[in-house]
Amino acid sequence: MLASNVTDKAKRRSLRRALDGGGLTVLPGAFNPLSARLIEQSGAPGVYVSGHMVAADLGLPDIGLTTLTEVAARAHQIARVVGIPTVVDADTGFGEPANAARTIQSLEDAGVAGCHIEDQINPKRCGHSAGVEVVDADIAVRRIRAAVAGRRRKDFVIIARTDARASVGLDAAIERARAFVAAGADAVFPEALRTPEEYARFRAAIDVPLMLNLNEFGGREPLTQDEARDLGYQLAVYPMTLLRAAMGAAAAGLRAILHEGSQSSAMSGMQTKDELYDLLDYPGYARFDEAVLHD
């Protein structure tokens, strides 16, 4: 009720165990606290908060317009209501190396279990869009080193993301990933690799856990979870899937009420009142009120 009883430390340790276990951990993307609860109720082992999602939910494109304050606030809203770990997209760390260190501490305070920081230029853009550019390798490594230095909770997971494949090639991306690991990154997230063979090459070259994006509409057919598992990746995220599904359903509902004169045709796909009340734990609040009233 109100918030999860699972401690932030326990959530961080849960994420660490998942990474150490070697299997594939699937993190669906939550776009608000209610969707995060649904993710947990559905049995997922963790929640992902995408920077693209935060921007879109604010009515903005994913071009570096969101702030650390906005991302940390949304992450906190989501992380506090679930007992499973939350991993957050921290973009480029929101500035210079000192900003990257502050970003880590802000997300620790928000109750998040881990985050990733990327090597794009500022302002950044969606990793699957055209024209992605990355900073020089030494600047990128400095960001990760600063993030690691800023960490106060040793079990907070720092993931180094590289978008270098799109602009400077796979070999450069692998070289950066090795440098990120040497700088203290716990895991690496190679964004926008193009083929299973490229994912396999990356896996063979890097000896820490790897994360991958199973996003739809990324310009290429996404890998399946079985393929990701067979390739030896440990974290798989679906950044925008639930938001897109929800917006698609909302558009259908709007068409029904505006053009059909009734919501009837859309009702079969809706969450029912009872399902919503169960997700919100109405009975728990009733028990709380009863206990206080008769204490």
Side-chain angles (χ1 to χ4, degrees):
M1 194 188 78
L2 294 176
S4 171
N5 291 324
V6 181
T7 66
D8 296 344
K9 185 175 183 179
K11 295 174 193 176
R12 294 193 299 268
R13 288 184 171 179
S14 176
L15 180 60
R16 285 278 180 178
R17 286 194 300 270
L19 291 175
D20 293 342
L24 182 70
T25 298
V26 176
L27 307 179
F31 53 90
N32 61 14
L34 185 64
S35 64
R37 279 196 168 167
L38 183 61
I39 289 169
E40 181 177 35
Q41 186 185 72
S42 300
V47 174
Y48 180 62
V49 180
S50 159
H52 190 180
M53 179 280 302
V54 174
D57 196 55
L58 292 170
L60 299 169
D62 185 20
I63 54 173
L65 296 175
T66 53
T67 66
L68 169 58
T69 301
E70 290 169 328
V71 171
R74 180 57 58 89
H76 174 62
Q77 291 169 346
I78 287 172
R80 69 181 295 277
V81 301
V82 293
I84 52 179
T86 300
V87 174
V88 177
D89 177 356
D91 285 349
T92 61
F94 301 100
E96 299 304 316
N99 298 92
R102 182 174 183 238
T103 293
I104 296 300
Q105 295 187 3
S106 295
L107 293 177
E108 287 176 333
D109 292 342
V112 168
C115 74
H116 60 78
I117 292 178
E118 66 202 46
D119 56 357
Q120 284 197 43
I121 64 169
N122 284 309
K124 56 91 60 177
R125 62 180 62 204
C126 174
H128 287 267
S129 59
V132 169
E133 297 181 60
V134 293
V135 297
D136 291 342
D138 61 332
I139 296 174
V141 171
R142 200 175 303 137
R143 282 181 189 168
I144 300 304
R145 190 178 297 123
V148 172
R151 177 170 50 190
R152 295 164 299 169
R153 279 87 168 178
K154 64 180 181 180
D155 46 3
F156 184 92
V157 175
I158 295 176
I159 304 164
R161 167 174 152 173
T162 179
D163 290 69
R165 170 64 185 93
S167 56
V168 292
L170 181 63
D171 290 339
I174 291 173
E175 184 177 347
R176 285 179 181 229
R178 287 172 171 155
F180 295 155
V181 173
D186 301 300
V188 172
F189 176 13
E191 178 64 305
L193 300 188
R194 296 179 179 174
T195 64
E197 291 72 26
E198 290 192 354
Y199 283 101
R201 276 192 60 194
F202 217 98
R203 174 70 283 171
I206 305 299
D207 60 0
V208 298
L210 293 179
M211 173 176 171
L212 81 169
N213 185 346
L214 300 183
N215 192 36
E216 59 281 344
F217 308 126
R220 60 191 64 85
E221 188 71 20
L223 297 176
T224 67
Q225 291 176 29
D226 285 343
E227 289 171 329
R229 189 177 293 108
D230 291 344
L231 285 166
Y233 283 65
Q234 282 70 44
L235 287 177
V237 296
Y238 290 87
M240 297 288 288
T241 305
L242 294 190
L243 178 61
R244 287 179 174 135
M247 290 299 289
L254 283 169
R255 285 193 296 270
I257 61 177
L258 294 177
H259 301 295
E260 299 171 16
S262 167
Q263 70 270 51
S264 296
S265 66
M267 286 179 64
S268 63
M270 289 184 185
Q271 182 184 56
T272 68
K273 181 184 73 172
D274 288 344
E275 289 169 340
L276 176 59
Y277 282 16
D278 177 65
L279 190 59
L280 293 171
D281 190 24
Y282 266 66
Y285 287 89
R287 289 192 297 270
F288 177 83
D289 285 344
E290 186 71 16
V292 172
L293 183 64
H294 294 95
D295 187 16

